[in-house]
Amino acid sequence: MTALAIETAAEGGAVRSTGFATTANGSYAARLVRDAGGSWFPERWTLDGPEPYAVPLPGNQPEEPDAGVLPMADGRVLIHRRVADRHAFALLYPTGPATGELPLGAIDAGEGELTLLPPSPDGSCAYALAAGPHGTALWLVAGGAFGPELVARVKGRCSGGAWLDRTGRMLSLDRELDGRTKAVAVDLERGGEVTELLQITEDSNDRLLLADADSGLLLIRSDAPGHDRLGWGVLGSALPVRFPECLRLADAAVTPFAIQPGQVLTPESCAVALRIDAAGGTWVGIWRPAGRHLHQLAAPQGWLAGSGLWTPEGVLRLPYVTDTTPCALLDLPAPPDPAPAPAAPPPAPAKPAAAKPVPLGQAPLTGRRPLSGDR
């Protein structure tokens, strides 16, 4: 689950959260919260015990509301602070009643934007993107030997970020170049070599939203059908990307935020959790590619909207906060899909029909080739 921009009400109506990120193994989460007095501080959630619990990690002074936090697999929390034109990083950890801090160094990115990428699969490294006027720098900001290290420079302006494997080698980024945005794959073990990942049509904007390394399931947003649609494909498959009608809701935005892990070689069976936003509020959707049906469910009060994680057994865990419950998870089993309609009898033989044009080609995700100029 990635860090998402969210806001949640708590005691006294104060805004309590600016984001929520979970480690790849689901053990820890972190967010930046504000107390009733208006001071911001990081908070770590422990999720793999009998009951979830939160540990506040306040420093010597309040944090700025734009600070970024990311949980690490060992229980520490990475914090990203903006100090003038420099971006400073440190690891925070509880030490009795106080908060320990291990400085990691800083990056001079000028006035450019720098954002933390989703937690890496190994849990011991953290990466950040610094987009500039002439390209994007990919930095290793935690887990290196000597502080922040420049890993790669990628032509174009990159955003997003999804891990394509369990080792933390292959990273997908959405790259804007020559007026189009295409998802590309960056190989961190080959000097940041960039290869094509998605190109549904030459003129379409094709972004990768989520990826599951176990099944290869990819969640994609593209305007190839004529306007932005949510679709799915399988990494390494020659089958086309599909754009299910059930994911197209009138007057509502649908955004995926978690894919069920552990479904090796069965991407169609993976349950996908979606955030649904409309004028009437925000709620949860659950969908499987094989089911072709979107289940819409009420979210718990105080849901940290757009966050959650699946267990391999198909239980969706939604974090929420209320006035009386400062740290909790609601376990939501994935509902079964409706039984398919009985198959129709085979039609009577008829003369061969004229060949029909193939529908929208929808990016075969194989045969990726390196792109020149990206190292």
Side-chain angles (χ1 to χ4, degrees):
M1 176 176 48
T2 61
L4 299 170
I6 50 180
E7 292 187 350
T8 303
E11 296 86 354
V15 175
R16 287 272 295 170
S17 177
T18 59
F20 194 89
T22 306
T23 55
N25 64 4
S27 296
Y28 295 100
R31 63 179 188 148
L32 194 69
V33 300
R34 187 173 70 184
D35 62 21
S39 296
W40 294 92
F41 61 90
E43 181 181 76
R44 187 197 72 190
W45 287 33
T46 299
L47 305 176
D48 59 354
E51 294 288 340
Y53 65 92
V55 176
L57 295 172
N60 295 326
Q61 60 186 27
E63 305 292 346
E64 295 296 323
D66 61 351
V69 293
L70 209 66
M72 308 296 288
D74 61 5
R76 295 183 292 180
V77 172
L78 174 75
I79 186 164
H80 162 220
R81 302 178 176 114
R82 181 71 179 260
V83 183
D85 288 341
R86 293 175 65 79
H87 299 266
F89 301 90
L91 288 171
L92 308 178
Y93 52 94
T95 57
T99 299
E101 180 168 331
L102 175 64
L104 298 176
I107 297 170
D108 187 354
E111 297 181 358
E113 178 185 1
L114 187 143
T115 56
L116 293 174
L117 288 173
S120 66
D122 63 10
S124 62
C125 297
Y127 296 84
L129 284 181
H134 306 296
T136 300
L138 175 62
W139 288 87
L140 173 66
V141 297
F146 306 104
E149 300 175 12
L150 181 63
V151 174
R153 292 191 182 276
V154 181
K155 187 190 303 182
R157 186 177 185 85
C158 295
S159 60
W163 294 99
L164 300 175
D165 63 357
R166 286 290 180 195
T167 67
R169 171 178 176 174
M170 300 301 298
L171 172 69
S172 170
L173 298 173
D174 297 331
R175 178 170 71 169
E176 182 184 351
L177 187 64
D178 300 328
R180 299 291 177 192
T181 300
K182 303 285 186 183
V184 296
V186 182
D187 190 335
L188 302 186
E189 290 188 4
R190 299 189 63 177
E193 179 182 89
V194 177
T195 57
E196 292 178 342
L197 182 63
L198 285 176
Q199 180 160 292
I200 298 179
T201 70
E202 186 174 343
D203 296 328
S204 59
N205 294 288
D206 310 316
R207 296 173 173 85
L208 180 61
L209 305 182
L210 284 181
D212 176 64
D214 294 333
S215 64
L217 180 63
L218 306 178
L219 274 296
I220 296 156
R221 190 175 299 281
S222 174
D223 59 6
H227 54 276
D228 269 342
R229 293 280 301 275
L230 190 60
W232 69 280
V234 179
L235 186 66
S237 171
L239 295 175
V241 173
R242 280 147 267 188
F243 297 92
E245 281 297 321
C246 67
L247 300 183
R248 183 183 180 187
L249 301 182
D251 302 321
V254 180
T255 307
F257 63 85
I259 301 176
Q260 179 186 359
Q263 310 305 297
V264 179
L265 303 179
T266 57
E268 297 87 352
S269 301
C270 287
V272 178
L274 306 109
R275 170 178 173 167
I276 303 174
D277 293 286
T282 298
W283 59 96
V284 180
I286 295 178
W287 164 82
R288 289 185 182 89
R292 298 172 184 164
H293 179 79
L294 176 61
H295 301 271
Q296 300 185 49
L297 307 170
Q301 180 185 3
W303 177 40
L304 304 183
S307 59
L309 64 155
W310 286 102
T311 68
E313 295 74 28
V315 175
L316 177 61
R317 314 197 78 191
L318 299 177
Y320 68 95
V321 173
T322 67
D323 292 348
T324 57
T325 310
C327 172
L329 290 172
L330 174 67
D331 287 351
L332 198 64
D337 284 303
K351 63 180 181 180
K356 295 182 179 180
V358 176
L360 178 64
Q362 311 151 338
L365 304 173
T366 55
R368 300 193 300 274
R369 60 182 184 277
L371 302 179
S372 60
D374 290 306
R375 286 289 190 276

